[in-house]
Amino acid sequence: MIRTRRTRRLLAFAGIGVAGALVLSACSADTSSPDATAAPEWEYTAQTAAPSGDIDSYSWVSYSEPYSLDYAYAFDYADNQVLANVCESLLRLNPDFTLSPGLAEAFEHPTPETWVYTIRDGVTFHDGTPLTAADAVASLSRHLDPEVGSSWYSVYQNVASIEQTGDREVTVTMNGPDSQFNLAMGGSAGVVESAATLTEKGADYGNSTGLVNCTGPFALTEWKSGESVTLTRYDDYWDDTLRARAGEVDILFMTDPNARVNALKSGEVDGGWMIPADAIGQLQDSGKGDMYFGLNTAVGSLIVNNLEGPLGDERVRRALLMAMDRQGILDAAAKGYGEVTNALTTESVWVGASGAGLKEAFEGLEEYPYDVEAAKKLIDEAGVAGEEIVIATAPISNDFTVISQGAAAAAQSIGLTATIETVSPSAYTALFSDPTAREGIDLFYTSWYLSSPDPLEMYSVLRTGEFSNYGNWSDPEFDALVNEAVTIDDPAARSEVTAQAQRIANEQLPWLPLFQGPMTLFLGDRVTGVAPSVAFMYYPWAATIGSR
């Protein structure tokens, strides 16, 4: 995966109407000094203009083919941007990262150990069969099955049982208090599929042969392996407010970033997420549509995958981060669309945090200024000069190239040997789900987003033994803090404990934080109506798009 894994809001926004869109804030660099490098001017947009009507069809472009459309393995942008329009979860994660009822019309939390969901009546799967509580039980229970090997197991690790406790009622019982479980039910971890389909399709479920059978505004009607997927409007969709405005959507897979940009510039395709930063200006000047910058909760980081090599020494991790000109990398990789950060979360995900929690989380963090000489001294102290690190990259967009080359140059500048290993976009996605794909890799880049409105999601995956703790980093104090925070329902009190975990991660650097920036979107001149938010991972964004 490019796995810029999920997050939430973005800053406290104030809304102003501009050109039919809700513009939230404007960002630009201070150019008062003649030596200042001007960052591009850009605006946050919460919602593009409403469609003038429906549209027969439109096309979209994705940087990669999905790894899988089985919700248990949908763990990245390419997977979830498709799945979000076809399958639905118990709760709905909205473009502003609030949670609202989804396939569960209501939920209760009667004890610290139980969550009770009332399954919505009158919903049908794309084959016309009705949604039942038994479907929800079967779907959620797959995450507990070691034979499935769900990428979302961490959400379920405290689950003791999932049972149907009424005609339309499902009760999830935990082994102890778990504040995070319900927050995750707005993402892939909360998807409900037909139990009959799961049984019928078996190992073919979610692939290009078996497809899926869900409840969303679109049905997945075709998957041409290596080429595209086709979504067709489901006319019996239950939610009139999200009835698809398009009869059909074709999502094309283009692994070559130049091909993607050229397709958008020429009008060959009508839109796309995650526009390469070096193409933003070209698209703005193309006359074929508009660029938008939306809510994003991702932090671009280098994942330390191998702690058996030189990066197992904390001094070496610190040295490498200090040897990277992160502002220069941001300018080259993202053309200045963003800012350098020292934390693995954005302030926007700290929803409901107390003032004390936010202060503890972000004030006084170690900053790791660009200082090659100081970094060299740390390498000398660690005694690892001349040792090799391998950095994985893929031809997904310019930032992957810049960041891998920047990391390699930084390593070599302080006396390490660095090798860049380039793999295909699909092979890069496999790094996030297949341990064998990561063998021999020391570092790889991620733009890691959160799927729920809480920073604890980020730090939960860094506990000892977690699926996404790729380098197997371990710190007992960190684990204890995260485990304590998980038991706290009140987000303000929880934030104060989570903040302590963030400080440990900032000091020990299991991942190396680089920068954060907006979600980017291009809409061609035929279409409009979508919210340019990272919530497109889980919200049926394609259904909102209609004719300009």
Side-chain angles (χ1 to χ4, degrees), residues 172-210:
V172 179
T173 303
M174 317 299 291
N175 289 313
D178 189 334
S179 64
Q180 300 299 292
F181 181 82
N182 189 62
L183 294 175
M185 290 299 101
S188 292
V191 163
V192 178
E193 172 61 280
S194 159
T197 297
L198 291 169
T199 299
E200 176 193 350
K201 298 297 183 180
D204 281 337
Y205 175 70
N207 64 24
S208 59
T209 301

Side-chain angles (χ1 to χ4, degrees), residues 358-369:
L358 279 175
K359 183 176 181 180
E360 173 75 9
F362 289 97
E363 291 188 15
L365 292 180
E366 189 77 35
E367 295 189 356
Y368 304 103

Side-chain angles (χ1 to χ4, degrees), residues 141 274 443:
S141 295
M274 300 171 61
L443 283 174

Side-chain angles (χ1 to χ4, degrees), residues 403-463:
I403 291 164
S404 60
Q405 291 179 350
Q412 290 171 175
S413 74
I414 55 177
L416 297 173
T417 299
T419 299
I420 297 175
E421 183 172 321
T422 302
V423 300
S424 68
S426 58
Y428 201 86
T429 292
L431 295 175
F432 295 84
S433 56
D434 183 358
T436 63
R438 298 193 296 271
E439 291 178 1
I441 301 298
D442 292 280
L443 283 174
F444 59 101
Y445 172 64
T446 183
S447 180
W448 191 265
Y449 59 93
L450 299 187
S451 321
S452 63
D454 195 305
L456 190 56
E457 182 190 335
M458 174 69 245
Y459 295 114
S460 292
V461 305
L462 290 178
R463 285 179 294 188

Side-chain angles (χ1 to χ4, degrees), residues 298-321:
V299 173
S301 306
L302 283 167
I303 293 175
V304 179
N305 179 63
N306 179 17
L307 292 175
E308 299 298 319
L311 292 173
D313 190 315
E314 181 184 320
R315 293 169 295 183
V316 179
R317 300 195 296 273
R318 295 169 66 90
L320 182 58
L321 192 56

